[in-house]
Amino acid sequence: MTQQDIYAGLTEVMRDVFEDDDLQIGSTTTAQDVPGWDSQAHVLLIVATEQRFGIRFTTAEFESLKNVGEFATLIGDKLARRG
C-alpha cells in the first residue's frame, strides 16, 4: 500500500470520525487543526483506523504521535511488517 493509499484511507476515516466530509489532511495536520479532535475523538480515530487498515496500535505508539504524517508513517510501517 502506498503512502497515497494510506492518506486516502486515513482521510476517509477522519471524515467519518469528525463528521466532516470536507476535511482535508496533510502530513503536518495536528489535533489543533481539526475541530472536535479531543481525547474521546482521538480514541475513536485510533479504533476506526485499526479497523480500516486491519492493524493494532499500542498505547505508547498512539500517545507518541505528533501529527498526521507520523500517524501515516506508523500505519505504513505496520502494514509493511504484516506483509
Side-chain angles (χ1 to χ4, degrees):
M1 182 175 285
T2 67
Q3 279 293 98
Q4 186 175 6
D5 294 335
I6 291 169
Y7 273 97
L10 194 51
T11 298
E12 288 178 18
V13 168
M14 291 181 72
R15 286 178 175 171
D16 185 50
V17 168
F18 297 109
E19 299 178 347
D20 182 353
D21 292 338
D22 298 322
L23 180 65
Q24 298 293 319
I25 62 168
S27 62
T28 60
T29 301
T30 66
Q32 287 75 37
D33 299 321
V34 180
W37 191 340
D38 57 17
S39 59
Q40 183 178 0
H42 193 76
V43 171
L44 293 173
L45 176 61
I46 295 299
V47 171
T49 301
E50 287 177 334
Q51 292 173 344
R52 169 67 173 80
F53 291 99
I55 55 179
R56 301 280 300 178
F57 300 105
T58 66
T59 301
E61 287 173 333
F62 68 78
E63 285 181 349
S64 69
L65 299 173
K66 295 179 179 70
N67 56 42
V68 170
E70 290 184 7
F71 195 24
T73 298
L74 178 60
I75 292 167
D77 290 347
K78 287 190 166 285
L79 290 173
R81 278 186 252 141
R82 187 177 70 181

